[in-house]
Amino acid sequence: KGRYLTNRILVLLLFVMLAWNLYQEQQQLSTGSQFTIRRIDEKIFEDEANTIIRKSYEETYAHILPCEDDIRPSSGKACMQKTIDYFNTPTITKDLHNTANNSSTSTISTIPTIPWWFQTLLRDIPTNGAYGFWHHFYTTQPPLNFCTIEKCGTTEWRKAFCKLNADDCLPNPLQLCGKKKCAWRTKKKMPDDAPFAVFLRDPLE
């Protein structure tokens, strides 16, 4: 009789657990549906990955000041210096006098706050080789100015441009293109209207 009673209690507990799980799943579905409807009503269709990328961009690179239409690396470096100087602008401090509460000091700044790693990037970029010639690949077949970034397939892109510019090293590759026998920067004159491109890596990797 005792074993029979125990079995009945276990069966009852199993039914209770099953009912509880079904209730929880129903609650999750209901909450999820409400969330989906709210997002649709607000016309927000951005997934989590895009949200992370957009937020990171808005906090950092979106604050880089625009450059003049000049393709020279030296001009690009000078343009980046404008952004560096902008973020290094001293904070403006104004004294606000209040007769009732004596005087108080208020700090006013229109410079946006940026993450520490982006501050470091701006600080180091004029001298860390970011504008080095080895970052620029050129070819006339088809005409293209290409900017490379470390860890973004640079080695493979260099191989591709060497093949595109193979004729530049003929008939004597060693003499014309050095020990690598390769020219990732064409020796031919680049057309003025050659487009510019850059290859970026998925920021979530």
Side-chain angles (χ1 to χ4, degrees):
K1 185 176 180 180
R3 182 179 299 177
Y4 174 75
L5 180 62
T6 301
N7 289 340
R8 292 192 64 179
I9 293 174
L10 289 176
V11 170
L12 179 62
L13 289 174
L14 286 174
F15 273 112
V16 171
M17 291 176 61
L18 179 60
W20 175 252
N21 288 334
L22 290 174
Y23 172 76
Q24 290 289 86
E25 290 180 4
Q26 185 64 32
Q27 287 295 105
Q28 290 177 1
L29 288 174
S30 175
T31 304
S33 299
Q34 293 173 4
F35 179 70
T36 302
I37 292 172
R38 182 182 66 79
R39 289 177 65 88
I40 292 175
D41 289 342
E42 295 176 2
K43 296 182 180 180
I44 300 176
F45 303 103
E46 190 172 52
D47 63 26
E48 184 177 2
N50 286 338
T51 300
I52 293 172
I53 295 170
R54 177 180 52 77
K55 185 174 182 294
S56 297
Y57 173 78
E58 290 174 350
E59 293 177 351
T60 55
Y61 292 96
H63 298 303
I64 293 180
L65 302 182
C67 296
E68 297 178 0
D69 190 13
D70 192 331
I71 65 174
R72 293 174 300 173
S74 59
S75 298
K77 191 172 184 178
C79 177
M80 182 57 68
Q81 189 62 46
K82 291 196 306 181
T83 297
I84 296 171
D85 294 340
Y86 169 68
F87 281 104
N88 288 336
T89 302
T91 302
I92 301 173
T93 302
K94 290 186 177 181
D95 292 328
L96 303 179
H97 183 72
N98 189 315
T99 54
N101 301 317
N102 204 348
S103 62
S104 61
T105 301
S106 176
T107 301
I108 302 174
S109 177
T110 58
I111 308 299
T113 301
I114 54 176
W116 67 267
W117 63 265
F118 195 65
Q119 296 178 34
T120 303
L121 182 148
L122 292 177
R123 181 198 67 192
D124 296 342
I125 201 169
T127 57
N128 67 1
Y131 291 93
F133 67 89
W134 55 88
H135 288 286
H136 304 106
F137 297 173
Y138 311 142
T139 186
T140 58
Q141 301 180 21
L144 179 65
N145 297 283
F146 191 79
C147 177
T148 63
I149 302 175
E150 281 83 356
K151 305 303 180 183
C152 292
T154 302
T155 301
E156 298 305 315
W157 282 114
R158 184 179 290 110
K159 292 177 183 178
F161 275 78
C162 283
K163 290 183 178 179
L164 291 171
N165 297 330
D167 290 347
D168 292 7
C169 298
L170 298 178
N172 191 330
L174 182 61
Q175 181 180 358
L176 294 174
C177 296
K179 62 181 181 179
K180 293 186 179 295
K181 302 179 182 180
C182 170
W184 56 83
R185 294 160 58 97
T186 184
K187 298 179 181 297
K188 301 182 179 71
K189 185 181 185 315
M190 288 293 296
D192 294 335
D193 59 350
F196 285 75
V198 62
F199 183 76
L200 302 175
R201 184 173 182 173
D202 184 345
L204 293 181
E205 286 187 1

